[in-house]
Amino acid sequence: MPRTYPIEKTRNIGIIAHIDAGKTTVSERVLFYTGVSYKIGEVHEGDTVMDWMEQERERGITITAAATTAFWTPTYAVTRNQAPGTRKEYEHRINLIDTPGHIDFTVEVKRSLRVLDGAVVVFDGVAGVEPQSETNWRYADEYNVPRICFINKLDRMGASFERSFASIRERLTPHAYRVQLPLGIESTFRGVVDLLQEKAFEFHGDKGERIVEIPVPEEMKADVKKYRHELIEAIADSDNAVMEKYLAEKEITLDELRRALRKAVIANKIVPVFTGSALKNKGVQLVLDAVVDYLPSPLDLPPVKGSNPKTGEEISRKPDDAEPFTALAFKIANDPYVGSLTYFRNYAGVLKRGSYVLNATKGEQERVGRIVRMHANQREEVEEVYAGEIAAIVGLKNTGTGDTLCSPDSPVVLEKIVFPEPVIGIRIEPKTKADQEKMGIALRRLADEDPTFRVAGDPETGETIISGMGELHLEIIVDRMKREFSVEANVGRPQVAYKETITGEAEAEGKYIRQSGGRGQYGHVWLRVKPLERGKGFVFENEIRGGIIPNEFIPAVEKGVREALDKGVLAHYPMVDAEVALYDGSFHEVDSSEAAFKIAGSIAFQEAAKRAKPVILEPIMKVQVIIPQNFLGEVTGDINSRRGKIETIGDRTNVKIIDAKVPLSEMFGYATSLRSLTQGRGSFNMEFDRYEQAPQNVAQLIIEGKKK
């Protein structure tokens, strides 16, 4: 079956933002204007297409990234070509992913941005840049994703396009440029002015579906001229042909400006800023035009790079149907009707139903039984998936998030996705004997879906501990266990995921010698440990020369060290950021074994770590508190009493914004405290920032608490 849409008319985009900036509201308008849905779903009414989970509709937030496909013909193409037959050449296919804004579900944003070609970043017109906006922007920078900005909610009281725009320039990028200006603000907001076209547009009809061109208001003409000049200068800086015409004061056509701006956006040299109000149905169609005009197709981006799993040599794959099949599995989901769904981005080649693919990450073959294109939680069966497309495979057995799927004849491994570590844990136990077996299956399936969710057993108590990115994250997991898997469970109080590290260097000997009736056990090693920079993890160096320890025993020593790392030496928390060098030892011709060297490695590491000034690390959260001005003193005092460090205190209309860093252990129950301090008028959000050494008195309490 031939490809129905050319790859150059395909856009793979994500909608990303801080919680409550209006991402899902924007997505619902996109579905309506592109004809995917016949009515507009509203978050506050719990009837959105993209937020389909019960938990999402109840809470009014996005929890899981939802994918869909829509088709869009730019508005200027429609007005230019009234005959429907002539519009087809302008129609583009948009594969859209609506991502969560809450920090606890940041994994969904990260893995979506890994496979997307472009992003629309939505901002609240009152709040501007918020903490999760910064985190998402950082992820987009990490994967070099071109983006456009949409300042939403300009109809709200206290909204300000200029203040929000200034916060983007100040906190995210100096390369942001206005492409639109708002017509009116707050209750008088009625449309936008397009700077490139020097035209104003209002949105009429029940759903804003009729775009009406009006003259640019007289009082705005000076601003339009000023900001258009600024935008054209920025475009000229990035394009020699436009620069020549600009310097020669020749007329630059609209098509030339659009082409040059597109190149600059794809190269991440310019971030265009649009505006509107999705809830009031104003401005979304012009953002869809911008997606088509300025965000890249798969052809506009460099070939994807990977490595040969056997030789390690670098391999490139172009976004071409003729190339060997190459895809990245970026999300696993459990569907109640079809079972396991593996979402994948096809970078090269064609995947056909019924074919076999190689999971190059795990070295196993998998059969592709069914392929579906997802529309939120609805499925559309397809026979083939072409290069540059996003789809899902039903029923893969051994594929996880971040695995590479490829043609068995041309193996390649793409770069894996690195996920943040969990920072909070709770103890969980089944309510009845019948729940016990079901709970194990449910937790395993949920852990397969979500790489930031971990399940572990406490060796001392035999209890099950589940860990995640925050209290809401774990609350949703427990709720899903109950609703999707019918498992009732008792849940303990949240616990902080502390870690341990070393601050000094030390050496130690590990000797394991056992004599029994027959063959004995002999393992003997000397290890040196030293600290690494925060976040560097664990490095094992083999410095053995001359066969003092045979090569076959070296991996066993490393395995023993890794097992000892998991237990720590102060309070049995995992140890991180340490380099371990194996530099000496001895072996016995008959009695030495892998098991003996593994135990010797573990003993030596524990002894060396105790001598290397071990310390406890605690997670520090980036906290933003929004309060009325008259409560500033009480709230800052409370933050200080929680060992918080206030970094900035900013102003927004009638409110104060406090940015602080506070240990996670001090933030439990903060929502209740803040409500009582501010008569219910304060709000806050927080996200993980980094691990930091706990003060001595706090560390002592942590150690004693653990020992109890």
Side-chain angles (χ1 to χ4, degrees), residues 15 61 68 108 153 155 159 223 247 274 297 464 536 586 616:
I15 297 189
I61 61 169
T68 193
E108 296 284 346
K153 300 191 177 185
D155 59 301
D223 277 349
L247 292 175
F274 296 80
S297 76
T464 301
K536 292 290 183 188
S586 62
I616 300 276

Side-chain angles (χ1 to χ4, degrees), residues 380-400:
E380 174 199 343
E381 299 267 346
V382 292
E383 291 294 316
E384 296 171 320
V385 176
Y386 297 93
E389 296 184 353
I390 291 171
I393 302 170
V394 176
L396 293 186
K397 299 282 189 293
N398 300 309
T399 299

Side-chain angles (χ1 to χ4, degrees), residues 410-618:
S410 302
V412 62
V413 177
L414 303 177
E415 184 191 343
K416 279 187 79 83
I417 312 170
V418 179
F419 295 108
E421 289 289 314
V423 294
I424 190 168
I426 54 174
R427 295 176 188 276
I428 186 168
E429 61 180 24
K431 275 192 176 171
T432 66
K433 194 81 174 159
D435 288 320
Q436 192 158 359
E437 196 174 319
K438 286 196 294 184
M439 187 174 94
I441 295 165
L443 290 175
R444 191 164 62 250
R445 288 221 186 132
L446 291 166
D448 286 344
E449 272 190 34
D450 185 348
T452 59
F453 171 61
R454 307 277 169 83
V455 184
D458 187 324
E460 291 177 11
T461 63
E463 294 171 305
T464 301
I465 298 168
I466 59 173
S467 306
M469 299 306 294
E471 288 179 87
L472 180 62
H473 186 194
L474 296 179
E475 186 187 313
I476 296 291
I477 291 282
V478 173
D479 193 41
R480 286 187 63 194
M481 270 174 45
K482 185 177 177 180
R483 296 193 199 196
E484 293 172 33
F485 300 94
S486 305
V487 176
E488 295 283 349
N490 294 320
V491 177
R493 286 180 58 207
Q495 298 174 329
V496 178
Y498 294 108
K499 294 189 187 302
E500 297 179 20
T501 192
I502 52 174
T503 56
E505 294 188 27
E507 297 176 354
E509 180 183 29
K511 220 173 215 181
Y512 183 72
I513 303 171
R514 289 286 182 277
Q515 281 304 135
S516 51
R519 182 178 161 182
Q521 294 284 346
Y522 184 93
H524 174 220
V525 299
W526 276 92
L527 298 181
R528 184 190 316 113
V529 300
K530 65 179 183 183
L532 289 176
E533 259 179 74
R534 195 73 66 246
K536 292 290 183 188
F538 166 67
V539 176
F540 182 82
E541 296 284 350
N542 174 19
E543 295 179 4
I544 294 296
R545 300 289 176 269
I548 304 168
I549 297 173
N551 278 341
E552 64 263 30
F553 297 138
I554 306 294
V557 177
E558 183 177 350
K559 195 173 179 189
V561 170
R562 284 186 183 275
E563 285 185 9
L565 274 167
D566 287 342
K567 297 193 198 81
V569 294
L570 285 174
H572 303 311
Y573 289 110
M575 187 162 271
V576 294
D577 305 331
E579 181 183 299
V580 178
L582 168 63
Y583 69 93
D584 201 357
S586 62
F587 75 103
H588 189 281
E589 290 283 356
V590 178
D591 291 351
S592 282
S593 67
E594 286 187 9
F597 271 97
K598 182 177 146 190
I599 295 167
S602 180
I603 292 167
F605 175 77
Q606 286 183 325
E607 192 53 48
K610 284 173 188 169
R611 297 175 189 171
K613 302 175 190 160
V615 294
I616 300 276
L617 297 175
E618 61 178 347

Side-chain angles (χ1 to χ4, degrees), residues 4 46 70 75 118 126 148 197 204 227 292 337 498 534 666:
T4 49
T75 52
V126 178
I148 61 178
Q197 298 182 71
H204 294 183
Y227 294 130
V292 165
Y337 302 105
Y498 294 108
R534 195 73 66 246
E666 305 289 345

